[in-house]
Every structure is written in structure tokens, then in C-alpha cells.
Amino acid sequence: MRRLLLATLLFALGAAAPATAQLPIFDAHVHYSRPDWDVYSADRALAILRAAGVRRAIVSSTPDDGTLKLYEKAPKTIVPFLRPYRTRDDMGSWHSDPGVQSYVEERLKRGIYRGIGEFHLSASDVDAPVVRRIAELAAARDLFLQAHVDDVTIEELLTRYPKVRFLWAHAGMSAGASTVARLLDRFPKLWVDLAFRTDVAPGGALDPDWRKVFLRYPDRFMVGTDTWVTSRWEVVRDYMRDVQVWLGQLPPDVAEQIAFKNGDRLFPAP
């Protein structure tokens, strides 16, 4: 009877057997910024990602040198994005700073970047001069823009720059499943990373509303950890273990797309 009850509970949660849940991961949200360098060498940071099951990762850093440190060590693992922050002081003013524009234009000459971001922005600054220029560069070079913004701002960005593909960081951090679904319905050039969205599976059980969105748009989501402060490197493995739990509650083909296939399709390995 106890075994029957346990089996019924696992079925209700949609849980998969542990062996099928351990999927390779494409992490769509990693930073390796200046404070991290003295604590974790590039080799150590890459080892942490490997131990967490992360096969490939989008990395952006403040300053960009951190991304280059990892990319030079593992060009087949690291998908470099160019963050428009020379220091954290740029976070609130980058969109109107000609120096940031020059920084981005000069760095892009390396020819290695697959996107620009992660950046923060408010809806009132969507049409700022530096934002317009970066959107032009992204459209011309087929680069993603990774935006840490709310649902109002991502809608403004997608409307203002229809030629650009956007990766919406954290699914807007607080946007609900229905809001995300509405935006995916409307904008075919929108993709979503789920970094820090623990509400997707509170207590380990996949939320029914999020499940519906994943089943409807399995090709538009990726997972991520967001090592935005140095201490986050200490929990990458545990965080990804939790992600594996809720991925295991999805149909295998959907879980594989969100875990790694979407990232590999959008950012083919060199």
C-alpha cells in the first residue's frame, strides 16, 4: 500500500526516474565579473559549471574581460555575450553614455560575440541614443539582446526594434506565466531565460501554469543560474540539481529542449 501511494504521488507530480532527469544543461545566464576573478580562477569556474552538468553557457561580465578569460580557456563551452558595462557604475546610465557606445563598438570588432547584454533598462529609455545604436548593431550582426527588464519594457523593446531577437532575462523576474505566454504569442523573436525563477517549481513541484506555457512553447525557453555575485558560484551545482527535478516533470522531448537543445540550436558550437 505504501509503495502504491508513493507511485501515485510521483505520477501526480509528473516526476521522472532519476536516471532520465540528469540532462546536459545549456546555461543561458552566467557572469564572471571582476570580483569573481580573485576567488575562482577561470579553470575553477569552468570546473564548477562542468560539475553542475552545464555543457555550454552564455557568459557576460563586468567588465567584458571576465568573459574573455573563460572563452579563451573553453571556446566550445562559452557563448560570449558583450555586456555594455565597463563597471557596475554603468548599470544605470549606459543607455545615454557615448563612452559605452564606443566601448561596445570597439569590443564587437573581435567578432566572437553572439549577443549583447545582459543589460538593465526602464521603459522610458527604450528609445535612448545608445539603445538605438546597440539595436542597430544587433540587427546588422544577427546578435541577440539579453534584457533584464519588466514585461512593459520588453514589450516596448520588441515593438520598437522588430528586427532584433531578444533573450528576456529571468522571464522579467516577476512576470507570471500568463504574461510570458501573452508576449510569446505576440512576438516570434522573443526567447526567455528562467534564471532565478524558483516560482516555476515551488517546493520542487512544477507549477501547472508554467507547465502549460512550456508545453505550448517548448522551443522558446532556456534555464540559467545567474552568478551575479561571487557567492552564487558556490550554489551553481545545487541550483542545477533543483532545475533537473522540475525538468524531470515534463515530457522528455520538452525537457530536452529547455535543458539544452534550444541553446544549441540558437547558438551552434563553433
Side-chain angles (χ1 to χ4, degrees):
M1 179 61 70
R2 291 176 63 186
R3 286 196 295 269
L4 178 59
L5 289 173
L6 179 58
T8 301
L9 177 61
L10 290 174
F11 179 80
L13 291 175
T20 62
Q22 301 308 305
L23 296 165
I25 294 293
F26 183 105
D27 191 320
H29 200 132
V30 173
H31 304 299
Y32 184 61
S33 296
R34 185 176 296 280
D36 307 334
W37 307 347
D38 293 335
V39 180
Y40 299 104
S41 67
D43 287 333
R44 177 60 180 147
L46 291 167
I48 289 172
L49 294 176
R50 285 195 301 271
V54 176
R55 187 175 66 184
R56 300 181 66 222
I58 291 173
V59 179
S60 64
S61 306
T62 307
D64 178 54
D65 302 60
T67 298
L68 297 182
K69 289 175 185 289
L70 296 186
Y71 180 74
E72 289 167 1
K73 291 278 186 179
K76 293 183 179 180
T77 299
I78 302 305
V79 179
F81 272 38
L82 174 57
R83 200 173 200 188
Y85 302 164
R86 298 158 299 184
T87 71
R88 285 187 64 84
D89 292 340
D90 286 334
M91 186 180 295
S93 59
W94 71 271
H95 55 272
S96 58
D97 187 338
V100 169
Q101 178 175 316
S102 299
Y103 173 79
V104 170
E105 291 176 341
E106 183 63 29
R107 289 269 169 167
L108 286 178
K109 292 178 182 179
R110 296 175 182 270
I112 63 170
Y113 300 98
R114 314 294 286 276
I116 301 172
E118 174 204 22
F119 57 77
H120 301 72
L121 195 70
S122 66
S124 61
D125 296 317
V126 163
D127 202 37
V130 178
V131 180
R132 289 201 307 270
R133 177 56 179 157
I134 283 179
E136 290 172 0
L137 290 167
R141 299 171 182 241
D142 196 27
L143 303 176
F144 269 80
L145 294 185
Q146 186 175 28
H148 180 142
V149 296
D150 61 20
D151 58 295
V152 173
T153 307
I154 196 66
E155 191 165 2
E156 291 284 340
L157 284 166
L158 287 156
T159 301
R160 177 67 178 82
Y161 306 109
K163 295 181 180 180
V164 178
R165 294 185 294 172
F166 281 87
L167 178 57
W168 191 15
H170 312 287
M173 192 59 83
S174 60
S178 61
T179 297
V180 176
R182 175 180 63 81
L183 291 168
L184 290 172
D185 281 339
R186 181 179 173 189
F187 297 104
K189 291 193 174 183
L190 175 63
W191 283 262
V192 179
D193 89 50
L194 296 166
F196 255 119
R197 292 306 300 261
T198 55
D199 58 312
V200 165
L206 184 60
D207 178 86
D209 291 334
W210 280 108
R211 178 184 174 87
K212 290 176 184 176
V213 182
F214 295 155
L215 294 180
R216 184 170 180 175
Y217 289 108
D219 59 336
R220 307 282 287 279
F221 288 95
M222 291 178 279
V223 298
T225 50
D226 189 9
T227 49
W228 69 284
V229 292
T230 303
S231 60
R232 285 287 295 173
W233 283 96
E234 300 169 11
V235 299
V236 168
R237 191 170 186 176
D238 290 340
Y239 184 88
M240 278 305 174
R241 187 180 295 117
D242 292 341
V243 168
Q244 295 277 7
V245 170
W246 65 256
L247 286 173
Q249 297 166 42
L250 289 165
D253 60 327
V254 175
E256 288 179 354
Q257 288 187 76
I258 295 172
F260 68 96
K261 287 187 175 179
N262 292 335
D264 285 347
R265 183 187 73 254
L266 294 168
F267 307 100

